[in-house]
Amino acid sequence: MQYNSTLKHSSTITMLFFLLLVPFFGMSQQRGQLAGEVFTMDGKPLAYASVKLKNTSYGTSVTTSGSYTLSAPAGNYTLVISYANYSVREIPVRVIANETTQVDKITVQSQANQLREVIVSDIQRNKFSRKETSDIARMPLANLQNAQVYSVVTKELVQEMGATDFNSAMSQVAGAVASNGVNDSGNEVFLRGFNAGVTMRNGLPSSPRTANEIYNLERIEVLKGPSATLFGAQVTSYGGVVNSVTKKPFESFRGEVAYTTGSWGMNRITADVNTPLNSDRTALARFNVMGMTQNGFQDAGKQQAFAFATSLLFKPNDRTTVSFDADIYVPEKTLLAYMRNTQKLTYGTMDKVPLPYDRALLSDDIMTSRANMNVSTELAYKISDHWTSRTSYQFNQSGDKESIFFVPTYLNDNQIERRYRIFDRYNLTYNSLQQNFVGDFFISNVKNTLVAGVDYSFHKNTDLSMSPAFLTFDTVGITDQAWKPITRADILKSRDAKSPGDSYNRSGNKILSGYLSNVTNVADRLFVMLSLSVNHYMADDSYSFTPNKDPKNNTVRTLEGYEQTSLSPKFGLVYQPIKGQLSLFANYMNSFRNMAASQGLPSDKDLNLEAVMMNWKPEQANQYEFGAKGELLDGRINTTLSYYNIDVTNSLREVSQDVYVQDGKLRSRGIEFDFIANPISGWNIIAGYGYNDIKYVKSIEANMNKRKNWAPKHVANVWTSYKFLQGSLTGFGLGAGINYVDKVYLDVQEVFAVPAYTTVNATAFYDKPKYRIGVKLNNLGDIQYWDFYGKPQKPFEILANLSFKF
């Protein structure tokens, strides 16, 4: 293997890549200043409010006397006033070169005591359409300037829906369905025909075995389509990327403690406290804590968890910001994998299987404790008036000890095996270091906004697990009500009798990538994005040990590591026929998957090992998409409509047992529509629809022109709510939502399906400055339905929430 030469070649490409950027950093533009005041309607200064130019890094804070001054390049902007992380006013401004422009006094339409106690979100227009974020494109880029489709789930929407878990929080993302993973590990989100793991935290890889928690999330960002150019290929999906953004400290003392109780012994408590650490508010801290317990709706299925998060922010000077974030989450629950061998059933759909809906196949004695920890830091430095440097590092570790998976497996229409798998130890770590330079420059009066970055990460996975991987505890009748609960002692005794010992597995990889993305404002209403990344993947040597009852026949397998270098381009075009209100867009986006030789032998078996290792090319996913985005009626309507086509090529296709050729092809096409509206103050509407047609274009004969499993054709969602903002009912609100998910097949041959379902949820709440009371009703129709993996979901559920604010 030519490791050194390959790496040297990759390093040369990366160096040339960044040398092209050097001229940009020297470009400058004349600047001007804005000066003004911010007061509340009762004449008091809105001290410590944030003043920022929208979609830029230029900003400052309001002083204790109510004044502010900020400097920026000449041009037209939107000035955003925000308080306690809420936008309260937006006004157009113009910065004139070498001049100080006095902005008219800004009066926020609320009294000082209200703003310092209240729900500032009430005075926002279309509060659930807050899509402005610099994380999506890794640069300040407005939704109407971005050729990529994305959704943002805010913490305000999560609170209004009364969501207590990640899957519920995702229920109003157009075209998406969230569930626990195949083997109850982590969360998966169906996007454009593919399952995307929730693998990004604040823009850096974090791929836990645990389900994701929402107690410390500011928002959830869902990017649609292949996104390897800026986010890498190893922890993203061809359908998109799910990025969890954690809560950050701000310049006010504020807190909230909440308690939720309800069906099946639900008890959940959360606390969120934000505080300045010094008088000039250059040191800030925020703390979040969560504890919960709930029994399963079946006769088993108990879960409990504890979590803690802290975020610290320091501003040593006007140019530098340093942040530290850490969180730990420790859940304990029974683990149930997806239903195996459903193709052996003749029932056709899950609802016809006479399996008791309220009976579990295991017991609460078999609970697995897991842990997930994240530690990160970031240094943001303002290099000049035009350029900012962001240096970020994140460490993620997750795993479990003495975990037991239950793996139900159908034998026929009448019998099911209760199988299990044991991991004595499982450990997964991610280390990521990222450097970004973000800024803008002009070439002949044409504005360019650019992000240039380099990312280095290394991952490691080790496990000590039962051998063989799956063992059968017993076989029970599907309609038999006399299943006996299985204890942990029963499982361990069965294992001792049937397993020769533990297997050990170790694998890992390193990834070095460089990327460049530039948006050129070609004309007043025309934007062009050109992006490219170079990804160098270095797989470590992997090792596995499998025991045998006869120690002489133990199996030891070592696979030599390999390296691959891939280019991932991205192009976008946006034209605004109605400036600031309507955009027409088109994009080309790419992702890929590295293919190890261990995934199958090529058709030419005579190749030596080294040639085999280098034989496979990366699998490729290329998307073409076009559509329209609108922010109409002064922002009261935010909507997106798009058509996409994703072709996955270079897939392995088996031509005989364990022999493959690399000419497989999978195609995913579809339409997505989302609509977020605030027709009148207090009334909010969210609606979404996704149609997806995904099939194997070239595969093994049995799969040809068949639909990929676990992929619904139609997904739709609606949520509407109304909150009284004045009068005797001020603070009282009602909300209701509907979710529809089409049937999915559990096998590609379309033998057995989970049926389509429609759930209805509703909420009522009373939201006041010092407290909030809410009631949430889930699955009002009390229907029986299953997730994509054949696991029963909750029947009718009622939750009550009480929170105190300070």
Side-chain angles (χ1 to χ4, degrees):
M1 300 294 292
Q2 300 298 317
Y3 280 84
N4 293 334
S5 61
T6 306
L7 185 57
K8 182 178 180 181
H9 175 67
S10 175
S11 300
T12 302
I13 293 175
T14 304
M15 183 177 295
L16 290 173
F17 192 74
F18 288 106
L19 283 174
L20 294 174
L21 305 180
V22 174
F24 298 150
F25 287 87
M27 297 185 179
S28 63
Q29 183 196 8
Q30 292 183 315
R31 299 168 59 82
Q33 286 190 323
L34 295 175
E37 297 178 316
V38 183
F39 282 75
T40 55
M41 60 187 298
D42 54 350
K44 296 182 179 181
L46 189 57
Y48 307 113
S50 174
V51 181
K52 187 176 181 180
L53 297 181
K54 192 172 184 177
N55 300 320
T56 76
S57 58
Y58 304 112
T60 186
S61 297
V62 177
T63 66
T64 54
S65 64
S67 64
Y68 67 88
T69 302
L70 67 83
S71 176
N76 296 317
Y77 300 93
T78 298
L79 188 70
V80 179
I81 310 299
S82 59
Y83 182 78
N85 270 13
Y86 291 96
S87 172
V88 293
R89 279 294 299 276
E90 294 188 11
I91 60 172
V93 294
R94 179 174 177 79
V95 178
I96 302 173
N98 303 317
E99 293 186 18
T100 297
T101 302
Q102 191 68 36
V103 180
D104 292 341
K105 180 180 178 180
I106 297 172
T107 302
V108 176
Q109 297 303 306
S110 186
Q111 296 183 359
N113 65 333
Q114 289 179 322
L115 272 177
R116 285 169 173 77
E117 294 174 346
V118 184
I119 317 135
V120 189
S121 60
D122 286 346
I123 63 177
Q124 292 186 92
R125 182 170 297 168
N126 207 1
K127 62 182 180 180
F128 296 146
S129 67
R130 291 167 55 194
K131 289 189 175 182
E132 306 308 329
T133 167
S134 59
D135 298 327
I136 301 296
R138 295 203 188 278
M139 67 172 75
L141 192 64
N143 178 42
L144 293 184
Q145 299 171 352
N146 195 335
Q148 184 166 11
V149 175
Y150 61 91
S151 299
V152 177
V153 180
T154 65
K155 67 178 186 297
E156 293 80 28
L157 176 59
V158 172
Q159 182 185 59
E160 183 174 282
M161 292 192 303
T164 56
D165 60 75
F166 189 89
N167 297 339
S168 300
M170 289 287 293
S171 64
Q172 297 305 312
V173 175
V177 182
S179 64
N180 287 356
V182 172
N183 293 320
D184 225 350
S185 298
N187 297 96
E188 290 185 354
V189 182
F190 166 82
L191 295 171
R192 300 191 170 185
F194 305 92
N195 286 329
V198 183
T199 54
M200 303 297 285
R201 174 187 180 272
N202 296 327
L204 294 172
S206 173
S207 186
R209 278 173 68 80
T210 64
N212 287 264
E213 247 298 334
I214 60 174
Y215 75 104
N216 69 325
L217 294 189
E218 182 70 26
R219 62 184 181 274
I220 304 168
E221 300 172 344
V222 185
L223 291 70
K224 310 291 185 66
S227 302
T229 309
L230 292 180
F231 292 90
Q234 285 70 32
V235 290
T236 62
S237 159
Y238 296 155
V241 180
V242 182
N243 181 38
S244 298
V245 181
T246 59
K247 294 177 180 177
K248 307 297 182 185
F250 49 91
E251 297 173 341
S252 304
F253 176 72
R254 188 174 299 276
E256 182 173 350
V257 177
Y259 172 67
T260 300
T261 186
S263 301
W264 310 299
M266 161 64 89
N267 287 282
R268 178 183 173 91
I269 187 167
T270 60
D272 180 359
V273 179
N274 184 88
T275 182
L277 298 177
N278 57 6
S279 58
D280 61 0
R281 305 186 186 231
T282 57
L284 311 171
R286 191 166 185 174
F287 306 96
N288 283 267
V289 65
M290 184 280 299
M292 68 85 64
T293 182
Q294 186 177 28
N295 300 317
F297 70 89
Q298 296 179 318
D299 57 354
K302 183 179 179 180
Q303 56 181 316
Q304 55 195 35
F306 171 79
F308 176 79
T310 182
S311 180
L312 305 175
L313 187 146
F314 303 95
K315 298 179 181 179
N317 54 57
D318 291 340
R319 288 180 174 268
T320 308
T321 301
V322 182
S323 62
F324 299 93
D325 292 271
D327 59 68
I328 185 167
Y329 173 47
V330 184
E332 187 175 8
K333 60 181 290 188
T334 52
L335 301 175
L336 185 65
Y338 82 94
M339 309 295 278
R340 261 73 164 186
N341 286 358
T342 53
Q343 72 276 7
K344 292 187 176 183
L345 301 177
T346 63
Y347 295 110
T349 54
M350 193 72 215
D351 56 325
K352 295 177 182 177
V353 179
L355 200 63
Y357 196 78
D358 60 349
R359 292 292 313 278
L361 291 168
L362 58 166
S363 74
D364 284 337
D365 185 63
I366 308 174
M367 296 181 69
T368 292
S369 179
R370 290 178 156 175
N372 180 55
M373 178 178 66
N374 294 288
V375 179
S376 63
T377 183
E378 181 176 274
L379 170 64
Y381 180 72
K382 188 176 179 181
I383 300 173
S384 68
D385 293 337
H386 302 279
W387 291 95
T388 300
S389 166
R390 291 187 177 275
T391 307
S392 308
Y393 169 76
Q394 180 166 276
F395 170 78
N396 166 243
Q397 180 172 325
S398 63
D400 44 79
K401 186 178 180 181
E402 299 178 351
S403 62
I404 299 176
F405 280 102
F406 250 78
V407 188
T409 304
Y410 288 104
L411 297 178
N412 49 54
D413 282 348
N414 301 311
Q415 292 179 306
I416 186 170
E417 281 186 338
R418 294 199 287 185
R419 297 199 303 166
Y420 61 92
R421 184 176 188 183
I422 298 177
F423 283 94
D424 289 300
R425 185 177 70 250
Y426 193 101
N427 190 63
L428 179 65
T429 60
Y430 282 79
N431 288 267
S432 299
L433 177 63
Q434 188 176 97
Q435 172 64 54
N436 287 308
F437 295 101
V438 182
D440 56 67
F441 60 94
F442 283 73
I443 300 178
S444 299
N445 295 321
V446 176
K447 182 182 179 181
N448 291 265
T449 304
L450 181 142
V451 58
V454 62
D455 186 292
Y456 178 71
S457 61
F458 51 99
H459 311 155
K460 186 177 180 181
N461 180 31
T462 61
D463 71 72
L464 186 67
S465 59
M466 179 186 74
S467 179
F470 301 101
L471 288 174
T472 300
F473 180 79
D474 64 6
T475 300
V476 297
I478 289 178
T479 59
D480 184 3
Q481 297 289 314
W483 306 338
K484 75 166 188 174
I486 307 175
T487 66
R488 178 173 285 270
D490 292 333
I491 293 293
L492 297 180
K493 182 178 180 181
S494 172
R495 172 193 179 176
D496 290 340
K498 300 175 182 179
S499 171
D502 284 327
S503 65
Y504 174 77
N505 299 280
R506 182 188 68 238
S507 62
N509 60 66
K510 303 176 184 67
I511 304 162
L512 175 63
S513 63
Y515 48 86
L516 177 71
S517 181
N518 185 76
V519 176
T520 303
N521 195 171
V522 177
D524 188 40
R525 304 181 182 189
L526 181 63
F527 302 84
V528 177
M529 172 183 279
L530 299 176
S531 310
L532 179 68
S533 71
V534 180
N535 182 289
H536 186 67
Y537 178 83
M538 298 161 278
D540 299 336
D541 294 348
S542 64
Y543 171 84
S544 65
F545 166 80
T546 304
N548 191 284
K549 290 185 178 180
D550 179 1
K552 295 180 180 180
N553 293 322
N554 290 341
T555 301
V556 177
R557 187 182 184 192
T558 301
L559 290 178
E560 187 178 357
Y562 68 101
E563 300 187 28
Q564 288 181 342
T565 299
S566 304
L567 297 177
S568 182
K570 175 182 177 182
F571 308 111
L573 180 66
V574 175
Y575 175 69
Q576 297 185 3
I578 306 177
K579 187 176 180 181
Q581 297 185 62
L582 179 65
S583 290
L584 303 179
F585 69 89
N587 67 53
Y588 164 79
M589 297 168 59
N590 169 269
S591 191
F592 58 91
R593 184 166 68 93
N594 297 101
M595 307 289 286
S598 59
Q599 292 177 254
L601 292 173
S603 55
D604 184 358
K605 287 187 175 182
D606 294 331
L607 293 173
N608 61 42
L609 180 60
E610 181 170 323
V612 171
M613 297 298 262
M614 298 298 292
N615 185 71
W616 305 130
K617 300 176 182 178
E619 184 180 74
Q620 295 285 334
N622 296 293
Q623 172 184 279
Y624 299 92
E625 181 179 20
F626 61 87
K629 296 181 181 183
E631 294 182 4
L632 311 170
L633 301 181
D634 198 21
R636 289 193 178 275
I637 293 178
N638 186 300
T639 185
T640 302
L641 174 65
S642 70
Y643 168 82
Y644 61 86
N645 182 103
I646 303 173
D647 285 330
V648 180
T649 57
N650 286 352
S651 300
L652 297 184
R653 181 171 64 92
E654 190 173 27
V655 293
S656 61
Q657 185 174 359
D658 296 328
V659 177
Y660 293 78
V661 293
Q662 195 172 21
D663 64 355
K665 186 175 182 179
L666 177 68
R667 174 171 293 154
S668 177
R669 293 173 172 172
I671 296 172
E672 283 183 354
F673 169 73
D674 75 2
F675 179 83
I676 307 174
N678 177 213
I680 60 175
S681 295
W683 183 22
N684 293 280
I685 302 170
I686 300 175
Y689 170 71
Y691 166 78
N692 175 261
D693 179 25
I694 185 169
K695 63 181 180 181
Y696 291 92
V697 177
K698 191 168 186 179
S699 182
I700 60 174
E701 185 175 350
N703 292 356
M704 284 294 293
N705 296 314
K706 293 291 180 65
R707 186 173 183 83
K708 179 179 171 290
N709 58 333
W710 301 332
K713 185 174 289 187
H714 302 277
V715 175
N717 61 275
V718 176
W719 178 266
T720 184
S721 63
Y722 182 78
K723 180 179 179 180
F724 291 89
L725 301 181
Q726 56 186 346
S728 59
L729 291 177
T730 298
F732 177 70
L734 295 169
I738 300 174
N739 286 84
Y740 171 79
V741 179
D742 204 358
K743 72 175 179 181
V744 298
Y745 286 99
L746 273 69
D747 54 277
V748 178
Q749 284 67 46
E750 301 179 356
V751 173
F752 189 83
V754 170
Y757 64 84
T758 302
T759 57
V760 180
N761 308 310
T763 184
F765 55 88
Y766 189 53
D767 201 354
K768 300 299 287 184
K770 294 292 186 182
Y771 63 91
R772 186 183 192 277
I773 302 173
V775 176
K776 179 69 182 297
L777 307 176
N778 292 321
N779 192 2
L780 274 170
D782 196 25
I783 67 166
Q784 293 186 0
Y785 70 106
W786 295 260
D787 69 6
F788 289 174
Y789 309 118
K791 291 181 281 188
Q793 301 300 290
K794 292 178 181 178
F796 172 72
E797 177 184 40
I798 181 169
L799 300 174
N801 173 269
L802 174 63
S803 61
F804 294 96
K805 311 169 192 178
F806 54 90

